[in-house]
Amino acid sequence: LVGLPSSLGKMFTLTTIDVRENKLEELPATVSKLTCLQSLLLDDNLITSLPNGLGYLPELRNLEIRNNRLIDLPIDVCQTKSIKVLALENNPVR
């Protein structure tokens, strides 16, 4: 899997996205519209950045993005209180 459609953002009741072990380089910005999303599992891809707005998702508790190419995090992810598990191991995050 090398990409996700932007129409993913229309699946408002989606609670989990599990796309571990693929070749994703980015997520569509529309992921930030998934207000029921609880778990975003992105381990073992090629992701270099995350879309703004993930930190504002009220139900997001679990963000796992180990073993990617993530350079930095959006400020809203750094400031959120809703995310309980943030797994970033093996990324060149500054």
Side-chain angles (χ1 to χ4, degrees), residues 38-84:
Q38 297 173 12
S39 293
L40 185 53
L41 310 174
L42 306 168
D43 295 341
D44 302 304
N45 278 285
L46 305 171
I47 297 170
T48 57
S49 64
L50 296 173
N52 291 325
L54 287 180
Y56 300 124
L57 294 176
E59 302 300 322
L60 187 61
R61 302 288 182 262
N62 188 19
L63 177 56
E64 298 182 18
I65 189 165
R66 297 175 196 91
N67 304 315
N68 277 274
R69 297 178 180 173
L70 192 65
I71 297 167
D72 58 14
L73 291 172
I75 193 72
D76 54 272
V77 171
C78 298
Q79 295 176 341
T80 186
K81 292 182 178 17
S82 68
I83 297 174
K84 303 302 180 202

Side-chain angles (χ1 to χ4, degrees), residues 1-6 8 17 19 22-31 40 42 45-51 54 65 68-70:
L1 188 63
V2 296
L4 295 172
S6 61
L8 185 70
I17 296 175
V19 289
N22 283 285
K23 296 184 186 319
L24 295 175
E25 294 182 10
E26 63 182 7
L27 293 176
T30 56
V31 168
L40 185 53
L42 306 168
N45 278 285
L46 305 171
I47 297 170
T48 57
S49 64
L50 296 173
L54 287 180
I65 189 165
N68 277 274
R69 297 178 180 173
L70 192 65

